[in-house]
Amino acid sequence: MRRRLSPAEAAEHGARWADVVGILTADGPAGLRVRPDRSPGLPEVAVAADDVEAVKPVPPRRPRRGRPDQT
């Protein structure tokens, strides 16, 4: 999901938008909640409906391959 930053956040980070990648856990007229999937233990991110700019599905990551044995 791409969200619009507040003017204070935009001034601090030098950008107008921020991406939130994760698992959608709730949606409704008030906004969206996303659980980050790359960093276990991070709290869910709540984004107000007015701040949501774009949403698109992202396919699951491919499983990582292990290194071949060097025997």
Side-chain angles (χ1 to χ4, degrees), residues 2-3 9-10 13 17 21 27 32 36 41 44 47 49-50 59 62 68 71:
R2 179 153 291 174
R3 74 176 183 97
E9 289 173 313
H13 298 289
W17 315 103
V21 178
D27 68 337
L32 305 174
E44 287 188 353
V47 179
D50 289 344
R62 287 196 254 156
T71 56

Side-chain angles (χ1 to χ4, degrees), residues 1 4-5 17 19 25 31 34 43 47 49-50 57 64 66 68 70:
M1 158 186 25
R4 185 177 300 107
L5 297 175
W17 315 103
D19 291 336
T25 59
V34 176
V47 179
D50 289 344
R64 295 183 96 169
Q70 296 181 353

